[in-house]
Amino acid sequence: GTVPINPISTVCNNGDINLTAPSGGTQYEWVGPIGFTSNIQNPVITNAAVVNQGVYSVSITTNGCVNTGTVIVSVYPPLSFVYAPTDITLCATKSSTLLSSGLGGSGVYNYVWTPTNDLASPNSPVTNVTGNTTTTYTLILTDANCAITPSVTSVVTVSVNPIPVISISSSSSRGCEPFCTDIIASSNPPSANCVWLFTNNLGSNDCN
């Protein structure tokens, strides 16, 4: 004959599969995926993974009669990232966005960025970041419904180019008309591009 087996909700990755059979039998024989066997009434499979999901069957012997039952077990997959944040470079005081998205597990996630400085949303998969100092961030992804599921991490560096400190000098500061002088500019760190604007509405893109 057939006996009902209590259904099992989807099991957390790395969680326990608790198989339960009706009491009263004198002998129990469980079989399942990847060669699983057990002769106890209510066996437990620890550290469950996707390979453990499938159909589990039990044969129960009572007074020489054998009854069978089955139960289907599903296991959440491990956590991973659909996409992880990538390194970026910012000019000082400018902003950009760090993007991430979780995959696997129960589908409900917690995101924790550390450190939190210069981040607008340190508990969100997407956060704005303001460039103040070069910082390496660690993003930890956990399963909100399955604390037992191992977390995954991603590391990203936000490099910040400082605002140049500019020094300007000239070869001559005054003279008779027509007056010519060389205007010399330097910056720390060195500038890649320069734009001069003069009071006579003229300009130049030369650094010197």
Side-chain angles (χ1 to χ4, degrees):
T2 302
V3 294
I5 304 299
N6 292 331
I8 298 175
S9 300
T10 302
V11 177
C12 292
N13 190 275
N14 198 49
D16 294 342
I17 299 174
N18 294 288
L19 300 169
T20 57
S23 58
T26 55
Q27 183 176 341
Y28 294 87
E29 295 181 10
W30 285 93
V31 295
I34 59 171
F36 171 79
T37 60
S38 177
N39 58 6
I40 63 175
Q41 178 185 351
N42 301 319
V44 178
I45 301 170
T46 59
N47 307 118
V50 173
V51 294
N52 299 115
Q53 68 182 8
V55 177
Y56 288 80
S57 302
V58 62
S59 297
I60 305 170
T61 301
T62 307
N63 298 325
C65 296
V66 178
N67 296 296
T68 61
T70 60
V71 62
I72 297 175
V73 175
S74 297
V75 179
Y76 289 129
L79 292 176
S80 62
F81 286 101
V82 177
Y83 54 87
T86 56
D87 294 346
I88 58 174
T89 299
L90 296 175
C91 294
T93 74
K94 300 300 181 182
S95 298
S96 188
T97 303
L98 297 174
L99 303 171
S100 68
S101 180
L103 181 68
S106 68
V108 183
Y109 309 116
N110 292 322
Y111 297 84
V112 177
W113 297 83
T114 55
T116 60
N117 52 292
D118 301 325
L119 298 179
S121 305
N123 297 111
S124 171
V126 179
T127 180
N128 284 342
V129 56
T130 301
N132 286 318
T133 58
T134 295
T135 305
T136 297
Y137 296 96
T138 299
L139 172 60
I140 302 174
L141 174 69
T142 59
D143 192 321
N145 293 325
C146 295
I148 198 170
T149 298
S151 62
V152 292
T153 62
S154 180
V155 177
V156 60
T157 297
V158 177
S159 300
V160 179
N161 291 330
I163 297 174
V165 177
I166 300 172
S167 299
I168 301 175
S169 61
S170 63
S171 58
S172 299
S173 59
R174 63 175 60 188
C176 299
E177 291 187 43
F179 174 68
C180 292
T181 187
D182 294 321
I183 300 177
I184 304 166
S186 63
S187 65
N188 183 25
S191 299
N193 299 289
C194 299
V195 177
W196 289 92
L197 298 175
F198 303 113
T199 56
N200 59 1
N201 295 323
L202 297 178
S204 173
N205 291 326
D206 294 329
C207 286
N208 291 308

